[in-house]
């Protein structure tokens, strides 16, 4: 069993107190929400903080509600909402079913009972050469992401390509969610699509001392969404591939697709928006949309050997999962 290193534990009760602590402690501290990712990484020596700031007891970060803002209804989720809450929430299932489905496929029941939305949004990237013990990594000469200068995935590569493995990220991007951030320089709102960058070492735009405090998703008439995940087992495992689909649908007896978005993740450091989705024409039949989106995703998505299992098999599963996700939304 790998022990945790020695650290000072802080439990602020308010958001302002947490921000003050993070500003004072700087890069010597890490944030802990549910701990399902940070604590294992500390045991492996991937994160080595002197201080751990737990935000689990901050009431301001909790809650799920449907709020009226101007002419729009918005689903608002606190960053501290547990993944199990999101999975079972009637509000989330009605407004953002892809998010409920994604939250329901994170890890196992104990991970979802502890893990939070904010923690999953900020989940560290993963790689077969990084998420190992110190002894294992040292024997290989370490890597770009931690302690080394070599990328073992892309030979000669100068940028880390560890995979984005947070299940909620593609769903939030497909749903055009906004992430509300708060830090030393004040509050700001960042679209979920703009929150992630193509750098496996640090794949978000979060600034030092900044926190995700809530997420908002605008409710749209006729909008449907779904989520699919590929993994070795149907529980516990991180994704080998994850796909979120959002369709804007019109018609009752014969529904048609007017617009679409497809987001594929666990390929590289940033979830990938499939460009072919923007070519779907208003009034497209479901079977045609499913075929076009599946073919477009296959053409654009080429998995890297950054996670376990065969890259060709993962690529062949891209159109299968896209077609399944679209077909489920027809009923």
């Amino acid at each position: 069993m790998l022990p945790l290193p020695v650290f000072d534990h802080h439990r602020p009760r308010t958001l302002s107190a947490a921000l003050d602590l993070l500003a004072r402690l700087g890069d010597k501290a890490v944030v802990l929400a549910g701990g399902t990712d940070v604590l294992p990484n500390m045991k492996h020596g991937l994160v080595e903080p002197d201080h751990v700031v737990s935000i689990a007891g901050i009431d301001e970060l909790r809650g799920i509600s449907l709020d009226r803002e101007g002419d729009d209804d918005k689903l608002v989720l606190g960053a501290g909402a547990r993944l199990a809450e999101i999975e079972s929430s009637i509000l989330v299932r009605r407004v953002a079913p892809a998010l409920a489905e994604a939250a329901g496929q994170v890890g196992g029941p104990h991970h979802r009972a502890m893990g939070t939305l904010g923690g999953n949004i900020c989940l560290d990237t993963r790689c077969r050469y990084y998420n190992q013990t110190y002894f294992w990594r040292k024997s290989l000469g370490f890597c770009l992401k931690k302690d080394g200068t070599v990328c073992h995935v892309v030979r000669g590569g100068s940028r880390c390509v560890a995979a984005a493995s947070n299940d909620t990220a593609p769903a939030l991007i497909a749903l055009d969610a906004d992430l509300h951030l708060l830090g030393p320089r004040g509050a700001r709102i960042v679209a979920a699509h703009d929150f992630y960058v193509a750098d496996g070492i640090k794949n978000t735009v979060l600034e030092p001392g900044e926190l995700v405090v809530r997420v908002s998703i605008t409710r749209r008439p006729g909008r449907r969404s779904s989520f699919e995940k590929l993994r070795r087992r149907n529980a516990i495992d991180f994704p080998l591939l994850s796909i979120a689909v959002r369709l804007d649908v019109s018609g009752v007896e014969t529904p048609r697709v007017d617009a679409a978005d497809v987001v594929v993740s666990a390929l590289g450091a940033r979830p990938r928006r499939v460009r072919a989705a923007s070519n779907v024409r208003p009034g497209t039949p479901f079977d045609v949309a499913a075929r076009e989106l599946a073919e477009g995703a296959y053409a654009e998505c080429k998995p890297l050997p950054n996670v376990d299992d065969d890259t060709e098999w993962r690529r062949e599963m891209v159109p299968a999962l896209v077609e399944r996700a679209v077909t489920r939304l027809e009923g």
Side-chain angles (χ1 to χ4, degrees):
M1 181 176 291
L2 296 171
L4 278 169
V6 175
F7 59 87
D8 290 333
H9 185 230
H10 307 267
R11 298 189 65 188
R13 293 298 180 182
T14 66
L15 197 50
S16 61
L19 293 171
D20 288 344
L21 258 177
L22 292 172
R24 177 165 56 85
L25 298 174
D27 59 6
K28 295 181 179 180
V30 296
V31 175
L32 184 145
T36 58
D37 185 56
V38 169
L39 296 180
N41 285 351
M42 289 173 62
K43 289 182 177 182
H44 281 91
L46 302 174
V47 183
E48 302 171 287
D50 295 327
H51 302 268
V52 172
V53 178
S54 172
I55 58 174
I58 300 178
D59 291 337
E60 298 160 85
L61 297 177
R62 296 174 183 161
I64 300 173
S65 62
L66 189 64
D67 298 345
R68 190 71 176 177
E69 293 187 18
D71 296 329
D72 296 322
D73 288 328
K74 292 200 174 187
L75 176 68
V76 179
L77 306 100
R82 303 291 179 182
L83 295 170
E85 295 177 62
I86 295 169
E87 174 191 9
S88 61
S89 168
I90 298 299
L91 273 178
V92 181
R93 289 186 176 189
R94 288 178 177 173
V95 178
L99 179 59
E101 293 175 7
Q105 294 191 49
V106 173
H110 52 300
H111 296 105
R112 297 192 291 273
M114 291 296 296
T116 66
L117 177 59
N120 194 255
I121 288 171
C122 301
L123 190 77
D124 193 16
T125 55
R126 297 183 63 82
C127 180
R128 65 197 305 176
Y129 300 104
Y130 170 72
N131 294 97
Q132 306 287 350
T133 64
Y134 178 84
F135 174 81
W136 193 101
R137 291 183 291 111
K138 182 180 178 182
S139 68
L140 198 65
F142 300 110
C143 72
L144 276 177
K145 187 167 169 65
K146 176 67 175 174
D147 299 324
T149 59
V150 176
C151 178
H152 302 289
V153 176
V154 180
R155 301 298 177 183
S158 59
R159 172 171 287 188
C160 177
V161 292
S165 301
N166 33 1
D167 292 312
T168 61
L172 292 171
I173 293 171
L175 291 164
D176 292 326
D178 285 327
L179 307 185
H180 299 250
L181 315 181
L182 188 62
R185 298 202 294 174
R188 61 179 178 137
I189 299 174
V190 177
H193 179 257
D194 297 326
F195 184 72
Y196 298 99
V197 295
D199 182 355
I201 296 175
K202 183 183 180 297
N203 77 328
T204 76
V205 298
L206 270 183
E207 297 177 353
E210 196 169 39
L211 295 172
V212 178
V213 295
R214 64 183 177 277
V215 174
S216 62
I217 301 170
T218 302
R219 186 177 192 174
R220 302 290 186 193
R223 178 157 288 187
R224 305 178 185 182
S225 63
S226 60
F227 175 84
E228 293 287 342
K229 179 175 180 176
L230 178 69
R231 50 184 166 176
R232 286 180 178 176
R233 303 170 293 182
N234 285 329
I236 307 298
D237 290 343
F238 284 94
L240 300 173
L241 188 68
S242 58
I243 291 172
V245 170
R246 187 216 77 222
L247 304 178
D248 293 335
V249 179
S250 61
V252 178
E253 293 185 3
T254 307
R256 303 275 178 150
V257 178
D258 293 331
D261 198 2
V262 177
V263 182
V264 183
S265 196
L267 298 174
R270 179 184 185 182
R272 181 188 184 100
R273 224 168 193 163
V274 174
R275 296 187 301 273
S278 63
N279 297 327
V280 171
R281 298 169 300 282
T284 300
F286 259 84
D287 59 337
V288 175
R291 184 179 67 253
E292 291 179 351
L293 292 172
E295 291 174 352
Y298 180 77
E300 295 179 34
C301 297
K302 298 176 177 62
L304 294 168
N306 47 9
V307 297
D308 292 338
D309 275 302
D310 181 77
T311 55
E312 288 304 314
W313 172 65
R314 289 166 62 208
R315 189 182 183 205
E316 291 297 326
M317 289 302 297
V318 170
L321 294 185
V322 170
E323 189 167 359
R324 182 189 300 172
V326 174
T327 302
R328 284 203 292 119
L329 297 177
E330 186 173 5

